[in-house]
Amino acid sequence: MQVSLDVLRRKNVLLLISDLDLSHEELSILYQMYQESRQHPTREESQHEVVWLPIVDRSTPWNESKQKQFEYLQSMMMWYSVHHPSLLDRAVIRYIKQVWHFNKKPLLVVLDTQGRVVNPNAIHMMWIWGSEAFPFTSTREEALWKDETWRIELLADNIEPLIFNWIQKKRYICLYGGEDMDWIHSFTTKAQAVAQQANIQLEMIYVGKSNPRDKVRRNNSAIAAQNLSHTLPDLTLIWFFWVRLESMWHSKVQLGKSVENDPITQEIATMLIFDGSNEGWAIISKGSAEMAKAKGNAILLCLNEFDKWKEEAQLKGLVQALDDYLHKLHNPHHCNCLILPGTNGRIPEKVVCAECGRQMEKFIMYHCCTD
């Protein structure tokens, strides 16, 4: 159904700009967020409209395959879109690329009720906070971060609704990831044994790896079949867990924060370094903010040596005792890799290691994975 531009008059408008390769994961999460924002139409954060502007390469001919892909994406959207990509003037596309720096990654440009641009890309805010980030201005972004601390709710969001119930019940929560199924089996088995020995309730969730593919899917199935821990039912949720972390990084960088001057940025960088390694990793927390974290070999060694620090665990609590023992075993020699995906945002010239504070070397990597 075609509508007039009048439906957007005096409304906040989010321009979703993408090519025809908008991924299933991106579309799925955007759809879910849009639905949630429409459940309470009178709320302030629901007072916006979304319009999709599909950018296509005019140097190659429009064909039936492209038409079908466009129609498929359009059919999956509850929001408005231009009737056809050809209706976007070449000058508009040039402006979007040159001024708003569109380069394959989706953009979410925010216009206020007067049609003025208040944010050239709010996609990171949308991934982190959803419609709670309304009206998607940098002022709102700063305010949201000001009220935030590094806690399990920020890290996990609503990927698993049971987490909030576990926090209220003061249970121990473990998020862990990686692709090595042998380590996963060893770690989860030992963690449950330590929990039993320490007489605590431990809930574990596997969050895989960024850009999850068949290996993570197979791990999910094996973990569920062997009842090793909780798993997320859909790979889209694993994708979303990591995209939110990457978005937190870009959001912080755009606000001028870094590992040196902001504790949350340091924690985000540590998580992205875990993901960039070839081994597993785990975070164990109790309640909202108490956390201990390490790469796979280190945390498994600590659990294997539980008898050496179990008395400390009785005195201080398991998380604090585990964190202390991890620091005791810490090896200053390390090789950390922070992989930042291509983005339309700002890439910092200098990034320091979240573990030792030294400046990291910068490389350019091109990646293609069909696993």
Side-chain angles (χ1 to χ4, degrees):
M1 180 181 72
Q2 294 189 48
V3 296
S4 158
L5 280 174
D6 287 339
V7 298
L8 305 177
R9 197 176 300 279
R10 300 201 176 281
K11 289 187 178 179
N12 293 278
V13 177
L14 310 183
L15 300 178
L16 174 60
I17 301 170
S18 78
D19 56 19
L20 298 184
D21 292 327
L22 192 64
S23 73
H24 162 75
E25 292 86 359
E26 288 164 330
L27 194 54
S28 175
I29 298 296
L30 284 169
Y31 182 92
Q32 182 180 325
M33 288 179 168
Y34 185 84
Q35 271 192 318
E36 288 172 358
S37 74
R38 289 303 185 261
Q39 286 177 358
H40 304 283
T42 57
R43 286 187 181 174
E44 185 185 29
E45 58 265 31
S46 301
Q47 306 306 307
H48 66 266
E49 297 292 348
V50 180
V51 180
W52 180 41
L53 303 183
I55 306 297
V56 298
D57 184 0
R58 298 283 180 89
S59 64
T60 57
W62 188 258
N63 55 33
E64 188 178 347
S65 173
K66 289 181 179 179
Q67 180 65 28
K68 284 184 177 178
Q69 179 65 4
F70 168 68
E71 290 174 355
Y72 166 74
L73 290 173
Q74 199 175 42
S75 71
M76 296 295 290
M77 297 177 179
M78 297 173 66
W79 48 87
Y80 299 114
S81 71
V82 297
H83 184 61
H84 195 273
S86 61
L87 294 175
L88 287 175
D89 192 273
R90 289 180 185 272
V92 172
I93 296 174
R94 188 161 57 249
Y95 182 91
I96 287 170
K97 289 182 176 180
Q98 292 178 358
V99 178
W100 290 343
H101 307 295
F102 172 73
N103 182 21
K104 196 155 184 67
K105 285 281 182 180
L107 287 179
L108 201 63
V109 179
V110 184
L111 310 179
D112 67 11
T113 55
Q114 304 300 312
R116 295 170 298 205
V117 176
V118 294
N119 193 330
N121 190 13
I123 195 77
H124 303 316
M125 293 180 72
M126 182 64 85
W127 292 145
I128 301 167
W129 295 291
S131 59
E132 188 186 346
F134 182 87
F136 304 100
T137 60
S138 58
T139 303
R140 177 61 176 156
E141 187 172 16
E142 288 177 353
L144 285 165
W145 278 124
K146 188 177 180 181
D147 294 337
E148 198 55 86
T149 57
W150 185 250
R151 55 202 177 103
I152 200 74
E153 295 97 324
L154 173 65
L155 178 58
D157 192 52
N158 59 355
I159 58 164
E160 172 50 80
L162 284 172
I163 286 176
F164 298 100
N165 186 37
W166 297 337
I167 291 170
Q168 287 178 348
K169 292 183 176 179
K170 301 290 184 186
R171 291 186 183 176
Y172 289 82
I173 300 168
C174 173
L175 303 182
Y176 71 98
E179 292 182 323
D180 183 345
M181 195 59 213
D182 289 337
W183 176 84
I184 289 170
H185 189 275
S186 298
F187 170 72
T188 52
T189 304
K190 190 63 186 178
Q192 294 292 4
V194 167
Q196 192 171 9
Q197 196 175 346
N199 196 28
I200 63 168
Q201 284 188 295
L202 176 66
E203 305 287 355
M204 306 177 73
I205 304 179
Y206 176 62
V207 293
K209 201 169 176 66
S210 60
N211 296 312
R213 301 186 187 275
D214 284 347
K215 199 165 187 180
V216 172
R217 191 192 310 275
R218 290 194 299 269
N219 286 354
N220 244 11
S221 299
I223 291 165
Q226 298 173 50
N227 199 27
L228 297 177
S229 76
H230 295 277
T231 58
L232 297 174
D234 187 344
L235 287 194
T236 298
L237 291 172
I238 293 178
W239 172 88
F240 184 50
F241 174 84
W242 292 104
V243 161
R244 281 188 74 251
L245 274 165
E246 291 163 0
S247 295
M248 290 178 204
W249 169 267
H250 292 303
S251 172
K252 284 287 191 177
V253 167
Q254 285 178 175
L255 293 173
K257 304 300 182 182
S258 68
V259 169
E260 300 109 307
N261 64 26
D262 185 72
I264 293 181
T265 306
Q266 183 176 15
E267 297 290 354
I268 295 164
T270 298
M271 289 297 299
L272 296 176
I273 285 170
F274 283 170
D275 187 51
S277 72
N278 291 320
E279 58 178 300
W281 59 270
I283 287 180
I284 297 178
S285 73
K286 185 185 181 186
S288 182
E290 192 182 357
M291 291 188 197
K293 61 188 180 297
K295 288 183 181 176
N297 292 336
I299 202 159
L300 184 56
L301 176 60
C302 279
L303 295 179
N304 283 332
E305 296 184 357
F306 179 61
D307 284 342
K308 295 181 180 179
W309 54 277
K310 65 181 179 182
E311 289 183 7
E312 289 292 306
Q314 290 171 352
L315 290 170
K316 302 176 180 177
L318 186 128
V319 174
Q320 185 60 57
L322 172 60
D323 197 45
D324 290 347
Y325 200 73
L326 282 166
H327 280 94
K328 184 179 175 182
L329 293 181
H330 179 257
N331 185 343
H333 301 290
H334 60 269
C335 183
N336 289 334
C337 177
L338 175 63
I339 299 175
L340 301 176
T343 175
N344 301 308
R346 176 179 153 212
I347 295 289
E349 280 300 311
K350 173 188 162 189
V351 175
V352 303
C353 176
E355 187 170 341
C356 68
R358 293 172 59 200
Q359 185 170 340
M360 300 181 84
E361 292 182 80
K362 184 164 71 173
F363 298 87
I364 296 174
M365 181 177 75
Y366 296 90
H367 189 230
C368 176
C369 183
T370 57
D371 176 20

